[in-house]
Amino acid sequence: MTTHTLPDATVRSPLRALPFWSSLTMIPVIWLSAVLGGWWVLLVPLYAWGTYSLLDALAGLEEGNADPLMERSGLGWYRAITLIWAPVQGATLFGLIFYVTRADHLGPWEALGLFFGMGVVSGTIGINYAHELMHQKPRLDRWLADLLLAMVLYSHFRSEHLLVHHRYVATPRDPVTARYNEGFHRFYPRVLRECWHSAWNAEAAMLARKGLTLWHRSNPFWRYWALQAGFAALALMLGGWGGLALFAVQAGVAVWQLELVNYVEHYGLTRRHLGDGKYEPVRPHHSWNSAQKASNWLLINLQRHSDHHYKPDRPFPLLQTYEADEAPQLPAGYPVMTAAAMVPPIWRRMMNPRVREWRRTWYPDITDWSAYKAASNPLPR
């Protein structure tokens, strides 16, 4: 792969932004599934995972980079899709709850299958867009992020991601950095347990520095709980207990999708411990990069994760892709890699040799990796 810089006029073009609106195609697909029923309820995961894996193979790699210093006012067509997604997802989710709980042609297993697909939508697209929005400065963006996360009952992700993950990535203090040889089935329960506590502790520490208690109204967990309770109550009102159960199903699937992606993004990568609880700064080689074109359209360049951690404030159209001598490369896009992560022997066969090569490339002087693999180095200060 050889990267190159795109002209600003090309980046600003609505046609250049248009492929990033492909997430909207998920909406008619899931409604078609609901109307047809039967095996059609599996259409959404097949479309999201299968179609985009195939498109990645056909479309190849995106090697063009926008100038990261270009004027951001010209990125309106990119930002717009992230701004409209919360109302689109909300209308779809709660419209489906109302429809499915009254649809005679859908049995219990079909309803579960359909809301598995809804969870794929709210996880693959919704949480991903919330991730983009929470990194932006406008209050509107951050509120939309909170709404999207509340729809999947995972509001604390904002606190954990901004206050813990970005600060401590690739160190023992970051729960989300998957350790070498740690299978997803061990990673997942650990992350569910540790991330909530790390988010709570991070917010408590911020309040304490201001001389405030956890019960102060500025604690964002009050907002998180209120929004989650509000959406759960809406599901109950529209669909009864069945509607609430379906709401919980899609939330669980969405969180699983998020943590699968988190597992892939940093698997086995660590920052050098400099001694006395100090670690080297975050660099592009501390995250896996993936330049697959089609899945980056669907995921609004999330797979350019090496640059996202290097420069977290960059909006997604300006994120850079890197060549192999600058950042480690995944062998495929996230649709393929997350499927592989569900089968640990396949995952280890694909990724462990790449991690070992990464170590030889970036840290040839480190001969004992045992503390890094076990996450037993001193916690960062």
Side-chain angles (χ1 to χ4, degrees), residues 162-351:
L162 296 177
L163 302 180
V164 181
H165 178 56
H166 270 274
R167 183 176 181 182
Y168 299 117
V169 65
T171 75
R173 194 181 286 277
D174 177 34
V176 176
T177 298
R179 300 159 190 168
Y180 181 76
N181 256 347
E182 181 182 30
F184 178 74
H185 301 84
R186 284 188 292 146
F187 169 85
Y188 189 43
R190 179 177 67 77
V191 165
L192 292 180
R193 180 180 67 255
E194 293 180 8
C195 281
W196 196 95
H197 290 290
S198 66
W200 177 263
N201 292 337
E203 292 293 355
M206 284 191 64
L207 289 167
R209 287 194 291 271
K210 298 175 183 177
L212 303 174
T213 71
L214 284 168
W215 307 107
H216 192 269
R217 64 180 182 276
S218 63
N219 185 343
F221 273 79
W222 295 116
R223 180 170 69 254
Y224 299 164
W225 290 330
L227 290 174
Q228 290 178 175
F231 283 135
L234 180 58
L236 180 65
M237 181 180 70
L238 292 174
W241 293 108
L244 182 60
L246 293 174
F247 176 74
V249 166
Q250 68 83 33
V253 173
V255 171
W256 166 66
Q257 288 277 276
L258 165 68
E259 299 303 354
L260 263 175
V261 168
N262 277 336
Y263 176 79
V264 168
E265 287 170 339
H266 303 283
Y267 175 78
L269 306 183
T270 52
R271 283 193 271 162
R272 183 194 294 272
H273 180 230
L274 303 175
D276 196 28
K278 296 180 181 178
Y279 287 81
E280 65 176 316
V282 176
R283 294 288 183 260
H285 66 269
H286 294 124
S287 308
W288 292 98
N289 187 68
S290 178
Q292 273 67 23
K293 187 176 292 186
S295 49
N296 266 320
W297 289 337
L298 182 67
L299 301 173
I300 55 170
N301 281 342
L302 180 66
Q303 298 174 141
R304 295 185 168 198
H305 211 63
S306 298
D307 197 51
H308 171 65
H309 270 273
Y310 183 47
K311 299 291 183 182
D313 64 334
R314 276 184 187 158
F316 79 87
L318 302 186
L319 289 175
Q320 308 290 287
T321 196
Y322 290 94
E323 299 183 22
D325 61 347
E326 300 172 299
Q329 306 293 312
L330 290 172
Y334 284 4
V336 171
M337 299 309 298
T338 52
M342 291 300 296
V343 188
I346 294 176
W347 175 261
R348 287 193 293 268
R349 192 173 300 118
M350 292 176 70
M351 292 303 297

Side-chain angles (χ1 to χ4, degrees), residues 15 82 252 290 329 362:
L15 289 178
T82 64
S290 178
Q329 306 293 312
W362 293 99

Side-chain angles (χ1 to χ4, degrees), residues 113-144:
L114 184 65
F115 275 80
F116 180 93
M118 185 64 226
V120 171
V121 174
S122 52
T124 302
I125 309 302
I127 298 181
N128 184 32
Y129 282 21
H131 168 257
E132 173 70 15
L133 291 162
M134 73 173 68
H135 276 284
Q136 306 312 312
K137 293 180 181 179
R139 287 177 59 86
L140 172 63
D141 296 48
R142 296 200 168 199
W143 263 103
L144 290 172

